[in-house]
Amino acid sequence: MHCRTCGYALWNLPQARCPECGAGFDIRSYRFEPGTVAFACPYCGSQHAGTGESYLPAETDEAICQGCGQTMQVGSMRVVPLVDPPRVALTDTVPWERREQLGLWVAWWQTCKASMTMPSTIGMAIGPHTSLGRAYWFAAFTSFVASIVQTLFWFVCWAGISIASQTAVGDPAGFARQQLVGSGVSMLLAVVAPAFLIALSAAPAHLFLMITGARRGTFRVTANAVLYGQGPMLLALIPICGGQVGGIWSIVATILILIHAQGVSGWRATLAVLWWLLLLLLLLMVVVGVVVVVAVVAAMA
């Protein structure tokens, strides 16, 4: 269980406040795996088991301590890990999965921010029940927003040049049609782009993990890691070079998310994400080498 503001571990704290950044938290906003944690009474320390889908000590805001008989606020109970390492006990949800409560833009921004700055918290939040459909639409929405902003940027550039030169640059009607067509294509690509990510990134990554050893989750966990790793593509909102920077950052974020989501080592996660790209690069180098050798031999003949 980690702070959603700074990522600090919140296990076994006497107060519902992060000691690192001071942000308050409520254990009722987290979900736990049955049998992996206990909940301690803030008065006598008696430990209680959880219940229900979220494995909390009570479905209401209050509970009666079985040790001292006092009424406890569920949100103030200490969460005591019963497994080692304690991070495996957490099945917290990604902010995007709580967009009904947070709102679309807040949930999207918080997920992008976490993916960029605290990818380990995203990885620890991805569990066997994390929705692949919601992760898909997070990646699609990120791509959609970036494409719309890019289109507006180039339109503003064209308008600015036209105003500065006091004449329309090119054909205004043709340019407008071009922008509309480009926007439509960008929207379509934004919807289908996550499918290509699943096929061309998640599938090879999971295949590599299956071949090289044990892993914590199924293919859905790997696919969710790849899709939520697209948070840094928020940088594509920056014209010209933002997409390239965001792409590199996204690869790094995906690797870090995969480490925690699947419980694998850093080198396995890195090779899982990059092995097929390295293979293509090797094949390209071989082809270029063959072409060079043939050209040299032909020139010497």
Side-chain angles (χ1 to χ4, degrees):
M1 184 171 66
H2 290 74
C3 176
R4 293 193 174 104
T5 301
C6 69
Y8 188 86
L10 303 176
W11 303 106
N12 213 8
L13 295 178
Q15 294 182 338
R17 185 166 299 279
C18 175
E20 182 72 13
C21 68
F25 66 93
D26 191 335
I27 66 170
R28 291 169 298 179
S29 65
Y30 296 85
R31 299 172 59 206
F32 304 92
E33 294 181 3
T36 58
V37 296
F39 303 90
C41 171
Y43 304 109
C44 68
S46 298
Q47 295 187 2
H48 302 74
T51 184
E53 181 181 356
S54 297
Y55 197 69
L56 291 171
E59 298 292 340
T60 59
D61 294 340
E62 296 181 344
I64 303 299
C65 177
Q66 300 173 0
C68 63
Q70 297 191 64
T71 300
M72 308 173 295
Q73 295 294 324
V74 172
S76 66
M77 298 181 72
R78 289 186 293 113
V79 183
V80 182
L82 302 179
V83 294
D84 186 28
R87 64 181 177 84
V88 302
L90 179 64
T91 55
D92 182 23
T93 55
V94 180
W96 179 255
E97 294 199 335
R98 295 180 287 112
R99 61 181 182 270
E100 291 83 2
Q101 294 80 33
L102 298 174
L104 178 66
W105 290 103
V106 172
W108 176 68
W109 163 247
Q110 288 187 359
T111 304
C112 288
K113 179 182 177 182
S115 180
M116 293 174 63
T117 61
M118 297 183 296
S120 60
T121 62
I122 295 290
M124 288 183 284
I126 294 176
H129 303 295
T130 302
S131 171
L132 178 59
R134 294 196 172 213
Y136 183 101
W137 288 113
F138 166 77
F141 187 76
T142 303
S143 179
F144 174 82
V145 172
S147 65
I148 293 299
V149 172
Q150 289 280 358
T151 299
L152 291 175
F153 168 77
W154 291 115
F155 182 81
V156 170
C157 286
W158 173 83
I161 294 174
S162 298
I163 294 174
S165 61
Q166 297 183 346
T167 181
V169 178
D171 177 20
F175 183 81
R177 287 194 299 270
Q178 181 182 4
Q179 291 300 304
L180 287 174
V181 172
S183 298
V185 173
S186 298
M187 293 177 189
L188 179 61
L189 291 177
V191 174
V192 301
F196 288 98
L197 278 173
I198 292 174
L200 300 179
S201 183
H206 194 72
L207 176 62
F208 180 87
L209 293 179
M210 290 176 62
I211 294 174
T212 56
R215 65 209 174 280
R216 181 173 298 150
T218 62
F219 171 73
R220 182 166 66 173
V221 172
T222 302
N224 280 328
V226 171
L227 294 173
Y228 281 123
Q230 299 306 299
M233 291 307 296
L234 169 69
L235 296 177
L237 298 177
I238 303 174
I240 312 297
C241 63
Q244 290 75 16
V245 176
I248 297 173
W249 199 334
S250 178
I251 292 175
V252 176
T254 300
I255 292 172
L256 295 175
I257 291 173
L258 195 60
I259 290 174
H260 295 277
Q262 287 288 18
V264 297
S265 62
W267 74 267
R268 284 184 66 196
T270 301
L271 291 179
V273 173
L274 298 177
W275 74 270
W276 66 279
L277 292 175
L278 297 175
L279 180 61
L280 288 178
L281 179 61
L282 178 61
L283 292 175
L284 179 62
M285 293 175 60
V286 170
V287 171
V288 171
V290 170
V291 171
V292 171
V293 170
V294 170
V296 171
V297 171
M300 295 177 61

